[in-house]
Amino acid sequence: MTRLNKNSLASLAKGTVVPGYDRSKVTPGIVHLGIGAFHRAHMAVYVDDLLARDPSWGIVGASLRRPDTKEALEPQDGLYTIAVRDAEGTHPRVIGSILSVMDANTEREELLALMADPAIRIVSLTVTEKGYCYAPATGELDQGHVDIVHDLAHPTTPKSAPGMLVEALARRKAAGVAPFTVMSCDNLPNNGETAKRIVTKFASLRDGALGEWVQQVAFPSTMVDRIVPSTTDADRAEVAGLIGAEDAWPIMTEPFTQWVIEDQFPSGRPAFETVGAQLVKDVEPFEHMKLRMLNGSHSTMAYTGYLGGYEYIAEVMGDPAYVKLVHGLMTEEAMPTLDMPGTDLGAYRDQLLDRFRNPALKHRTWQIAMDGSQKLPQRLLGTIRDRLKAGQGIERLALGVAAWMRYVTGVAEDGSEIDVRDPHALRMMATAADAGDNPEALFEGLVSLTEVFGTDLAGNAVFRKAVVGHLESLFDEGARATVKKVAG
Ligand code: CS2
């Protein structure tokens, strides 16, 4: 079978949507760090929609860790398929906005040179929570992080995202070139502010004058949303059948997509508002809504669902007790903490429940369960803090936290091993091993991870009682019975 690339583009199977602009006219205006599946299903699609109107915003993607995306997309001239799955079927569309992909490990110098080029006006990021090298509870740069230690010692050959951004900015400063705008598209609250705090801290640790200069860089916040399960071999085979060519890395996703962007781009930006993005003054309320409702539910379903023996989110949604739990978590516990005048939160919730139900999306609970230590603070703990302050109940949210604690012990209910993926996995599993099946000791050990829980929650009696109570039930009765009880 022929490979998807610029030569095969004209002969793809009927029904495949292809770029409606002349790719040879497109020039790079954006460097994107962290060219994973999410970016390719989200921002790259918005950019693909606007290149016909303005070809100066092509994307050069870079991966900081692994060369696999480059290896997949290079023979395809950067082209790949997004396959949108709904009840009617799978709809393939070839995206052309990614002009090339660089591997930061082997092409660091070329990548830094490009980032310093005046044509690049935006550097966007999807490096995941852990890519910020910060303490999730405080949002401060983790100066003891191994990559940060490395990058401060070797600032011109950085490995981390903050190190790359600051070295590129230093080169622009030296060349008298205005800074690019840094646009975080990661799932963090105040992602712009957070990126700014980390980048300016890192720059000032490198050199005071650079730290000052970096103050002028714009860091707009964004809220990003699209569910993107990992691609499987079965997905590859299906897409090949649909488009009539082999695509080494298609992306499977849902019809829904949302992007809310803080309008702060002194070096210019594409007309994102013409392709469905919302440009607003303050993104924070949108981020809270999304993180607390969508992601808070997702993480709760991931841990309780995995423990209960459910592989996919759509399966979890087939269990009425779980649906009741998530409905209650959103309605009773998350929604009252949000400040979204003019938004029908009930309708937003119902739309989320429908999205979770999408049977065509094979979204694994295990995938969402990854990196919990980086996700819990913004998804569950912030909501818990707000409610504790107001003297309100936290039963369902606390079950999410307890199920995470039970999950990171690394042992499933049937005694099999759980492949726990998390930057703190080893520490957490050692804590769990010490605690054995004593819920109190497990809580004690894990809540003392202050970079996750801060310093306030360990001593909060209401929080402790709720989480330890759920842990007891998870150990004694199992996840399904516990969900049923807590859902009411
Ligand atoms: C998920 C998110 O894997 C996860 O942690 O909760 O990736 C989620 O699918 C996206 O945030 C949806 O926009």
Side-chain angles (χ1 to χ4, degrees):
M1 189 176 245
T2 53
R3 186 82 179 255
L4 169 65
N5 57 32
K6 64 178 184 228
N7 299 324
S8 61
L9 203 52
S11 54
L12 296 179
K14 243 177 93 202
T16 309
V17 179
V18 297
Y21 50 88
D22 180 356
R23 274 187 100 217
S24 67
K25 301 253 160 28
V26 179
T27 55
I30 299 170
V31 167
H32 184 81
L33 304 184
I35 187 91
F38 180 75
H39 170 75
R40 287 189 282 143
H42 190 262
M43 178 174 164
V45 180
Y46 288 87
V47 173
D48 194 65
D49 279 334
L50 52 79
L51 288 175
R53 162 199 288 255
D54 183 351
S56 72
W57 290 104
I59 302 171
V60 174
S63 39
L64 300 182
R65 308 259 155 233
R66 289 182 306 266
D68 45 0
T69 309
K70 181 184 169 72
E71 284 162 7
L73 295 197
E74 199 155 71
Q76 300 183 182
D77 305 309
L79 296 165
Y80 63 94
T81 315
I82 63 160
V84 175
R85 283 186 159 154
D86 61 19
E88 271 92 62
T90 305
H91 313 280
R93 167 176 169 186
V94 174
I95 302 297
S97 54
I98 297 182
L99 302 178
S100 60
V101 180
M102 294 172 119
D103 171 13
N105 281 314
T106 54
E107 296 167 290
R108 181 170 294 111
E109 206 32 57
E110 294 87 333
L111 176 58
L112 286 166
L114 179 66
M115 290 167 77
D117 188 312
I120 299 304
R121 288 148 289 158
I122 295 176
V123 175
S124 48
L125 306 170
T126 47
V127 292
T128 80
E129 297 86 349
K130 59 179 179 280
Y132 289 76
C133 309
Y134 73 159
T138 59
E140 298 290 342
L141 181 71
D142 175 3
Q143 294 183 41
H145 191 291
V146 12
D147 290 347
I148 297 301
V149 172
H150 171 276
D151 291 0
L152 286 171
H154 309 280
T156 58
T157 53
K159 287 185 179 167
S160 70
M164 290 294 295
L165 289 165
V166 171
E167 174 58 11
L169 288 165
R171 293 182 186 201
R172 290 175 87 109
K173 173 175 182 278
V177 175
F180 43 69
T181 295
V182 178
M183 177 167 62
S184 166
C185 293
D186 278 298
N187 235 346
L188 324 170
N190 292 319
N191 52 12
E193 275 289 304
T194 302
K196 177 171 187 167
R197 193 179 317 112
I198 284 154
V199 167
T200 47
K201 180 73 191 182
F202 184 90
S204 63
L205 289 172
R206 261 188 68 169
D207 126 32
L210 182 59
E212 280 295 307
W213 191 82
V214 163
Q215 292 295 338
Q216 67 182 302
V217 178
F219 291 85
S221 280
T222 66
M223 181 269 248
V224 294
D225 189 7
R226 193 165 211 183
I227 294 175
V228 188
S230 321
T231 305
T232 63
D233 287 339
D235 297 330
R236 284 187 184 86
E238 184 189 343
V239 168
L242 284 169
I243 70 169
E246 187 199 337
D247 181 346
W249 207 333
I251 305 292
M252 317 308 288
T253 190
E254 60 173 342
F256 183 90
T257 179
Q258 189 178 12
W259 196 11
V260 187
I261 307 172
E262 187 186 346
D263 199 358
Q264 215 202 110
F265 292 83
S267 304
R269 64 164 172 83
F272 290 128
E273 69 279 12
T274 61
V275 290
Q278 292 160 263
L279 276 294
V280 302
K281 269 222 173 79
D282 184 12
V283 176
E284 197 180 347
F286 292 91
E287 288 180 324
H288 277 312
M289 175 180 78
K290 194 247 167 175
L291 284 162
R292 292 183 173 195
M293 290 183 68
L294 189 159
N295 298 110
S297 301
H298 246 178
S299 290
T300 302
M301 284 193 283
Y303 301 117
T304 54
Y306 185 99
L307 293 168
Y310 293 121
E311 188 175 1
Y312 299 111
I313 290 294
E315 276 174 20
V316 173
M317 292 296 292
D319 182 329
Y322 279 76
V323 176
K324 201 161 175 212
L325 175 76
V326 188
H327 188 283
L329 185 145
M330 290 198 270
T331 315
E332 307 296 331
E333 301 190 6
M335 276 157 57
T337 70
L338 300 173
D339 182 20
M340 288 289 291
T343 298
D344 182 345
L345 290 174
Y348 181 74
R349 172 204 58 213
D350 292 344
Q351 187 185 35
L352 287 177
L353 292 169
D354 279 344
R355 291 170 65 196
F356 297 155
R357 270 188 205 106
N358 185 343
L361 273 193
K362 297 263 179 266
H363 201 190
R364 294 177 74 192
T365 48
W366 177 81
Q367 182 185 341
I368 302 168
M370 271 189 247
D371 291 347
S373 71
Q374 312 291 300
K375 293 173 175 172
L376 243 46
Q378 58 274 21
R379 296 181 176 205
L380 296 171
L381 302 180
T383 325
I384 286 176
R385 279 195 183 91
D386 283 357
R387 293 187 65 81
L388 288 175
K389 242 178 259 156
Q392 296 161 334
I394 55 163
E395 282 307 296
R396 303 170 185 86
L397 296 159
L399 176 56
V401 177
W404 170 77
M405 291 185 168
R406 172 68 189 77
Y407 179 90
V408 301
T409 62
V411 183
E413 289 183 1
D414 63 4
S416 62
E417 191 187 314
I418 305 177
D419 180 5
V420 178
R421 300 280 175 94
D422 193 289
H424 296 304
L426 291 178
R427 244 166 100 194
M428 296 185 315
M429 280 154 75
T431 302
D434 287 345
D437 55 8
N438 178 341
E440 192 82 47
L442 182 61
F443 174 84
E444 204 61 61
L446 290 172
V447 88
S448 65
L449 287 171
T450 52
E451 61 268 60
V452 180
F453 289 95
T455 48
D456 55 333
L457 287 174
N460 186 297
V462 177
F463 180 66
R464 170 180 297 254
K465 184 159 178 274
V467 177
V468 173
H470 291 329
L471 270 173
E472 271 161 14
S473 175
L474 287 169
F475 279 116
D476 295 348
E477 298 166 49
R480 289 196 192 189
T482 307
V483 166
K484 211 161 175 184
K485 201 166 60 189
V486 177

